[in-house]
Amino acid sequence: MHTDISASRLETAAILHFSRAMKRIYIIMLAVVGILIPAASHACTSVIISSSASPDGRPWMWKHRDTGFLDNRLEHFKGEKYSFVGLVNSSEGELGKEVWMGSNTAGFSIMNTASYCLKNDDVPASQMDREGVLMHRALEICATLSDFEHFLDTLSRPMGVEANFGCIDAFGGAAYYETWNDGYIKRDVAAMEEGYCVVTNFSVNGRREDWKGVERYKTASAIFGRMEKRDGRFAKMDSRILIDSLSRSYEHQGDNLHIPRYITSAAMAVQGVRAGESPDRIVLWTALGHPSSTVTVPVIVTGEDHIPAVMKKAAAGDNAQLCDLSLEIKKAIYPDGRNGATDVEKAEELSDFFSDLDYPFYHDFIKLHRGFTDGRIGRGIYLRTYDKLMKKHLETAMMIMEKIK
């Protein structure tokens, strides 16, 4: 089953009328139980900004990942058709290769947020939670949104998923796919009047009573709503805006339900390419670990592995060194652990600190990347210089992080 919708007004109207009673019940449940509800253990916040809404015509995808698997790393894969870079759990699950956001050498990028209002069958839990496997396979074989739709159309049923999959490609495609075991509904972001779409843990075509993440949706939407726009486009958009304004923001709707939480494991902002532009210009701006206690590193996507060493599997274990350090520093934000309160003052202090620490990565890479995209720097020099720059800046950042952990 496949349905296509492009309007976002349905979502806006529905959320504005979301029951205040439901909101009160939700907050009371959090306070009484003292822990996150099960659905929140796989809760994420995301956005797709299509080429029509970005300042330079290059689309963006951002995902703030919340999960029970806090040890994350990046991995480079040689797929069946395309190579790709993906965010993975440091310890692989029983389902095999899984990816939770990534981009391939064809210019196709994918992410997901869990949904809890689409499943309409009795497929047992043992056959579910295959979103990471699906995205791994999609990155291996898909170059366009049409490829992804064909992949979904021909995938064996039940698919074992209940999720919102967000995708962009190198041909102007940008869409979310509200997907369940035997079908999906496409939400064409490129055709939306606003040109962008925020998605958390509900699907607008799903059961309203099972919507999750509404408060984070409102917070992210409010932040984007305040951003300056010119002629229907964001006046400015870059990785620092997305990570600092969202993944390091402790704004909320009067309920202390922030976008960054104890269960946050990473944030990634993918900058795509203009239609017809070479896919080797894609950049995965990655905050590995908790965004308020880590640096944001630009990661490139090529047929060869150029992921910085401290963001990959360490020689001494499965974890990435950068993620391990981030999780140590994060303890200052959550002194009482998962079930305790957030020290917002400390979180904002660390967020400002790491935003400043990001600057050398951002400044030097943007200069290098611009030279490459303008044709002033050849590919070989670009890759060698990138490796040296990241090694240099990460060595400095890791040394600083060791001192403050």
Side-chain angles (χ1 to χ4, degrees), residues 240 244 248 291-295 329 346-360 396-397 399-405:
R240 302 195 77 193
D244 286 351
R248 289 175 176 151
S292 294
S293 61
T294 193
V295 288
I329 297 168
K346 186 64 176 180
E348 291 178 338
E349 176 190 330
L350 283 171
S351 292
D352 290 342
F353 177 84
F354 279 97
S355 178
D356 290 342
L357 202 56
D358 285 348
Y359 184 74
T396 301
M399 181 177 65
I400 293 171
M401 291 170 71
E402 284 281 1
K403 290 180 178 179
I404 68 171
K405 72 176 182 180

Side-chain angles (χ1 to χ4, degrees), residues 51 57-59 61 103-110 142-147 167-174 270-282:
S51 58
R58 299 181 67 193
M61 281 185 9
S103 301
N104 69 20
T105 50
F108 176 80
S109 302
I110 189 169
C142 296
T144 65
L145 264 58
S146 294
D147 289 344
C167 304
I168 59 174
D169 63 25
F171 302 92
V270 174
Q271 185 176 23
V273 295
R274 300 181 190 92
E277 203 171 35
S278 175
D280 61 7
R281 300 175 183 182
I282 288 176

Side-chain angles (χ1 to χ4, degrees), residues 330-398:
K330 185 186 83 168
K331 292 177 181 177
I333 302 174
Y334 307 97
D336 297 319
R338 178 186 176 112
N339 300 331
T342 303
D343 186 335
V344 174
E345 183 177 353
K346 186 64 176 180
E348 291 178 338
E349 176 190 330
L350 283 171
S351 292
D352 290 342
F353 177 84
F354 279 97
S355 178
D356 290 342
L357 202 56
D358 285 348
Y359 184 74
F361 291 92
Y362 179 83
H363 177 270
D364 289 356
F365 178 77
I366 289 296
K367 183 178 179 181
L368 174 67
H369 190 259
R370 188 173 292 126
F372 175 58
T373 57
D374 290 348
R376 291 179 286 110
I377 298 175
R379 187 174 186 274
I381 295 176
Y382 169 66
L383 295 177
R384 289 193 295 274
T385 306
Y386 168 82
D387 290 341
K388 291 177 182 177
L389 277 177
M390 293 307 107
K391 185 174 186 294
K392 169 189 168 185
H393 289 320
L394 277 165
E395 284 177 351
T396 301
M398 295 282 284

Side-chain angles (χ1 to χ4, degrees), residues 165-241:
F165 292 105
C167 304
I168 59 174
D169 63 25
F171 302 92
Y176 278 102
Y177 296 84
E178 299 185 345
T179 311
W180 61 99
N181 278 324
D182 62 358
Y184 63 92
I185 296 174
K186 179 181 179 180
R187 303 183 63 217
D188 191 346
V189 180
M192 291 180 181
E193 182 180 350
E194 300 88 346
Y196 72 97
C197 184
V198 175
V199 170
T200 56
N201 301 112
F202 61 89
S203 304
V204 297
N205 294 282
R207 299 177 300 276
R208 183 83 56 82
E209 64 271 20
D210 292 325
W211 282 13
K212 309 295 182 187
V214 175
E215 302 310 316
R216 281 179 288 110
Y217 170 89
K218 289 180 178 179
T219 298
S221 296
I223 292 170
F224 279 109
R226 292 194 300 267
M227 293 181 184
E228 183 184 356
K229 299 178 183 67
R230 297 174 189 163
D231 300 322
R233 296 176 180 269
F234 288 103
K236 186 177 181 182
M237 186 56 60
D238 58 35
S239 61
R240 302 195 77 193
I241 290 173

Side-chain angles (χ1 to χ4, degrees), residues 13-204:
I15 290 164
L16 289 175
H17 290 86
F18 187 79
S19 166
R20 290 183 179 179
M22 288 297 293
K23 174 181 175 181
R24 287 196 296 271
I25 291 170
Y26 181 63
I27 295 171
I28 290 170
M29 285 175 64
L30 288 176
V32 172
V33 176
I35 59 173
L36 294 168
I37 59 176
S41 65
H42 298 284
C44 303
T45 309
S46 72
V47 74
I48 290 179
I49 301 171
S50 70
S51 58
S52 66
S54 71
D56 61 358
R58 299 181 67 193
W60 284 90
M61 281 185 9
W62 163 78
K63 174 178 172 177
H64 184 97
R65 188 185 185 208
D66 294 326
T67 175
F69 297 93
L70 297 182
D71 290 312
N72 286 194
R73 68 174 191 254
L74 293 182
E75 194 164 322
H76 183 273
F77 298 89
K78 294 280 189 180
E80 179 181 320
K81 293 181 69 175
Y82 307 110
S83 295
F84 58 96
V85 172
L87 178 69
V88 305
N89 297 328
S90 292
S91 298
E92 281 189 22
E94 296 178 359
L95 294 175
K97 295 291 186 182
E98 299 176 338
V99 166
W100 299 102
M101 184 170 183
S103 301
N104 69 20
T105 50
F108 176 80
S109 302
I110 189 169
M111 63 182 175
N112 80 304
T113 69
S115 180
Y116 302 95
C117 59
L118 291 170
K119 192 173 185 293
N120 56 3
D121 53 48
D122 58 358
V123 175
S126 60
Q127 296 180 34
M128 297 297 294
D129 298 327
R130 297 190 62 83
E131 289 83 3
V133 176
L134 185 151
M135 289 189 285
H136 182 283
R137 183 58 176 162
L139 287 166
E140 281 196 290
I141 62 174
C142 296
T144 65
L145 264 58
S146 294
D147 289 344
F148 182 65
E149 291 162 19
H150 176 72
F151 170 57
L152 291 180
D153 289 337
T154 56
L155 201 60
S156 298
R157 267 48 173 173
M159 289 190 277
V161 300
E162 186 180 18
N164 306 299
F165 292 105
C167 304
I168 59 174
D169 63 25
F171 302 92
Y176 278 102
Y177 296 84
E178 299 185 345
T179 311
W180 61 99
N181 278 324
D182 62 358
Y184 63 92
I185 296 174
K186 179 181 179 180
R187 303 183 63 217
D188 191 346
V189 180
M192 291 180 181
E193 182 180 350
E194 300 88 346
Y196 72 97
C197 184
V198 175
V199 170
T200 56
N201 301 112
F202 61 89
S203 304
V204 297

